[in-house]
Amino acid sequence: MSRVAYVNGRYLPHAEAAVHVEDRGLQFADGVYEVIAIVNGRPIDLGGHMTRLARSLRELRMAMPMPARPLRIVLREVVRRNRVRNGIVYLQVSRGAYKRDHPFPPPSVLPSLVVTARSGVAPSASMVENGVGVVTVADQRWARRDIKSVSLLPNVLAKQHAKDMGAYEAWQVDRDGFVTEGTSTNAWIVTQDGTLVTRPLGHDILAGITRDAVLRLAREAGLTVEERPFTVDEARAAREAFISSTTAAALPIVRIDDAVIANGVPGSITRQVWDLYEGYMAGPGAEDWIDG
Ligand code: PDD
């Protein structure tokens, strides 16, 4: 089946879909994005992703490419045309195409919108069952990681380093030795007394939509949760660890660098969180494409 992408008002064969050579997303990474999970044909936490998109754009003084409702229709349409039942829809907005110059283009230049979708990005059954490893790296990113910018070079380098080391993800570490987050995931540990710990929101990390859902679900299930920074040393000594994201859900971590976590097998609290999140995606997390 041939794939279809949406680019600036048109649905095109994926192989032919392209932005302008002077698109500011291409030349300056002057753009933002969202990745939304599709489960059984329905978008998970679409409202939360749309709210975060609007915030990222606002923080960068960039316009919405279209109002929220038609944007939701485009997302639904790209998912439908690609026959995605379980997968992701990706959307990217840039400040548009204009002759290369650092200041913003004139207001008459419209933002660019690109939407793609694809099936099957969930972690494999063996990753979920056996857990995965992470390596730690210095966090080399800019000071506004709360904005979901397409400027992902440090994330790309760190993720490749993880891959080279035989790990699944890299945990980025600030100057004081505290874990900020993964390259495309939020970072969690479970302390020896069973408390879930994840870094509080701020400019240092992305406000993960999955992180937010996991916090709520864990609290509702009576688990103790603390939003506070944790060090690499604390993580290495933790009872359990996991990562959360749209694509990874709540994936167990069983190794941090050379330290084995949870005897090398996913821990029971992580399993509980995984199950809670699975239930959420099969239930209240699955939203309608068009709200109201
Ligand atoms: N990444 N932290 C970073 C740096 C991320 O890029 C992401 C998402 C997350 C988790 O956020 P959420 O739960 O809203 O997916 C945390 C997406 C999936 C990506 O870049 O592919």
Side-chain angles (χ1 to χ4, degrees):
M1 198 223 39
S2 55
R3 292 180 67 197
V4 174
Y6 174 95
V7 185
N8 293 329
R10 295 197 294 162
Y11 296 93
L12 296 165
H14 196 267
E16 290 163 31
V19 293
H20 193 274
V21 286
E22 288 197 302
D23 191 279
R24 291 182 62 97
L26 190 60
Q27 295 195 322
F28 295 111
D30 190 2
V32 301
Y33 75 106
E34 285 292 332
V35 181
I36 302 148
I38 310 299
V39 175
N40 296 323
R42 297 178 75 190
I44 305 302
D45 280 330
L46 180 57
H49 285 278
M50 296 297 278
T51 301
R52 187 172 65 186
L53 173 69
R55 179 182 182 278
S56 292
L57 291 169
R58 202 166 52 241
E59 292 295 309
L60 297 176
R61 295 157 61 197
M62 216 180 275
M64 274 287 269
M66 61 177 69
R69 190 181 164 90
L71 181 54
R72 284 167 171 261
I73 292 171
V74 170
L75 295 173
R76 182 182 65 184
E77 190 60 17
V78 173
V79 168
R80 190 185 71 76
R81 290 189 187 216
N82 287 281
R83 295 191 174 85
V84 174
R85 288 288 298 163
N86 292 288
I88 54 157
V89 59
Y90 173 87
L91 88 92
Q92 178 177 324
V93 182
S94 87
R95 209 182 301 270
Y98 195 62
K99 62 176 185 275
R100 188 181 180 280
D101 195 12
H102 288 68
F104 296 172
S108 57
V109 173
L110 299 175
S112 300
L113 171 62
V114 170
V115 182
T116 59
R118 73 186 167 101
S119 302
V121 293
S124 68
S126 93
M127 284 163 65
V128 178
E129 199 173 314
N130 302 321
V132 297
V134 298
V135 292
T136 56
V137 296
D139 197 329
Q140 305 197 75
R141 298 174 300 161
W142 72 325
R144 290 301 307 273
R145 303 154 192 159
D146 56 311
I147 299 170
K148 200 159 173 56
S149 150
V150 294
S151 175
L152 292 172
L153 195 48
N155 310 54
V156 166
L157 294 174
K159 187 82 170 196
Q160 182 60 39
H161 173 66
K163 196 174 172 189
D164 292 343
M165 303 292 285
Y168 177 76
E169 175 61 303
W171 275 6
Q172 302 171 100
V173 181
D174 70 16
R175 286 184 181 172
D176 301 316
F178 292 94
V179 174
T180 52
E181 62 185 329
T183 65
S184 59
T185 57
N186 288 110
W188 298 73
I189 58 170
V190 180
T191 62
Q192 293 299 339
D193 71 359
T195 302
L196 271 75
V197 182
T198 195
R199 191 172 175 115
L201 296 183
H203 289 177
D204 302 333
I205 63 166
L206 186 74
I209 304 296
T210 319
R211 173 191 177 282
D212 190 54
V214 167
L215 276 174
R216 257 182 295 122
L217 293 165
R219 286 187 174 126
E220 281 165 20
L223 294 167
T224 311
V225 182
E226 283 178 14
E227 290 180 80
R228 63 165 174 85
F230 58 85
T231 63
V232 175
D233 285 343
E234 184 179 7
R236 288 167 68 98
R239 176 163 139 189
E240 301 178 22
F242 65 95
I243 52 179
S244 68
S245 81
T246 292
T247 42
L251 193 62
I253 300 299
V254 292
R255 193 165 39 83
I256 301 173
D257 295 322
D258 57 359
V260 172
I261 310 299
N263 299 322
V265 290
S268 58
I269 293 177
T270 303
R271 287 243 171 273
Q272 187 183 352
V273 170
W274 175 273
D275 290 344
L276 288 169
Y277 193 68
E278 286 275 287
Y280 177 71
M281 288 194 292
E287 295 185 6
D288 293 329
W289 283 104
I290 312 299
D291 60 349

